Amino acid sequence: QIDVLNKDFRSTSFTFSLVDIERHDNKRYYKNCHKFSTEFDMKLNHAVDPANTLNIYTCSPSDGNIGWTYYPWDFDEDDSFQGVVVKDETLPGGSATPHNRGRTTTHEVGHFLGLYHTFENGCDEPGDEIDDTPFQEAKFFGCPTEHNSCSGTDPIHNFMGYADDDCLNEFTPDQNTRMQNMVAMYKASFLSSKSPRASACLSNGSTCKRNGNCCSEKCKNNQCS
């Protein structure tokens, strides 16, 4: 998944490196992560240094959702609620066809860094507040060869739309500029690092116990109790 993120963000100013992976055998987290109380508990107990780290949580929400996050201005940069949640089967090679090539995580990281959907506000100003993404009337799925819903060709292949993973392949220059501006404004701690660090929390497998802000050696070696 980190390789997919770096490939998808290659035209932007952002790169990602994996810091650690935690695995938790917790059925409530796994199936009920979409419920606010469960998400709150999961993140409160397992977020790793949110001001400096992109925390990615995988689970299998029973409401059918495949991913979500919050905008950078929704919480302070060191708040445990910062982070991305995705359905585990959307990771590369998963079973959530046609969303199983890791682009759900790419999409949610875009939100995490301050981007709206390409269809935000439909054909009305200010749209998604990006000058080089044409207005788009509504979300669509699949991968149409062409789609013109407002005054120009819809940004079919943009990562901030809802097309199939195979159809998505671009962020625009203005989207990159907005992400840079949003990070400078709301996630200034990231600027002290060469790239956002990624810590993945998997709600299956063995239970990891952190020592401070990072996993213990047993956890790193998949030897958790």
Side-chain angles (χ1 to χ4, degrees):
Q1 178 63 73
I2 300 300
D3 289 343
V4 171
L5 282 175
N6 282 319
K7 177 181 178 181
D8 292 348
F9 279 83
R10 66 190 181 279
S11 65
T12 75
S13 305
F14 298 91
T15 59
F16 304 85
S17 59
L18 180 64
V19 174
D20 224 328
I21 298 175
E22 295 185 12
R23 293 179 172 85
H24 299 272
D25 188 6
N26 188 313
K27 291 182 179 179
R28 183 169 72 92
Y29 288 174
Y30 189 61
K31 286 295 185 182
N32 296 322
C33 52
H34 61 287
K35 296 182 178 180
F36 179 84
S37 59
T38 303
E39 182 184 7
F40 179 84
D41 180 63
M42 177 177 71
K43 290 181 173 180
L44 181 66
N45 286 294
H46 301 294
V48 176
D49 190 17
N52 296 287
T53 307
L54 165 59
N55 285 274
I56 300 174
Y57 303 84
T58 68
C59 54
S60 185
S62 57
D63 68 344
N65 203 333
I66 64 172
W68 66 92
T69 191
Y70 301 92
Y71 292 114
W73 51 84
D74 287 335
F75 302 98
D76 291 338
E77 64 173 347
D78 61 351
D79 194 293
S80 61
F81 239 66
Q82 295 277 7
V84 167
V85 184
V86 296
K87 181 179 175 65
D88 53 359
E89 294 297 344
T90 66
L91 300 182
S95 63
T97 308
H99 303 291
N100 62 341
R101 297 177 65 86
R103 268 54 191 270
T104 297
T105 302
T106 299
H107 178 99
E108 298 305 335
V109 171
H111 287 316
F112 175 82
L113 296 174
L115 296 182
Y116 291 121
H117 290 126
T118 51
F119 49 85
E120 195 81 17
N121 293 305
C123 297
D124 299 326
E125 294 282 358
D128 63 353
E129 301 184 11
I130 302 293
D131 288 341
D132 60 0
T133 57
F135 288 96
Q136 180 179 322
E137 184 176 20
K139 58 189 174 186
F140 58 81
F141 303 92
C143 189
T145 55
E146 187 174 347
H147 201 270
N148 302 293
S149 61
C150 297
S151 58
T153 301
D154 292 353
I156 294 167
H157 303 293
N158 196 280
F159 290 119
M160 300 314 295
Y162 275 7
D164 296 349
D165 277 17
D166 283 339
C167 195
L168 303 174
N169 59 27
E170 68 174 2
F171 288 112
T172 68
D174 285 354
Q175 284 178 317
N176 178 44
T177 298
R178 179 180 172 88
M179 288 189 284
Q180 289 179 296
N181 291 339
M182 294 300 101
V183 167
M185 187 176 297
Y186 298 105
K187 295 182 179 295
S189 294
F190 276 2
L191 299 179
S192 63
S193 302
K194 291 183 179 180
S195 64
R197 310 178 323 148
S199 176
C201 178
L202 310 179
S203 58
N204 55 11
S206 51
T207 302
C208 294
K209 300 183 183 298
R210 280 202 311 279
N211 178 14
N213 279 332
C214 58
C215 287
S216 65
E217 287 304 313
K218 285 187 177 181
C219 182
K220 292 177 182 178
N221 294 325
N222 249 344
Q223 298 171 348
C224 307
S225 59

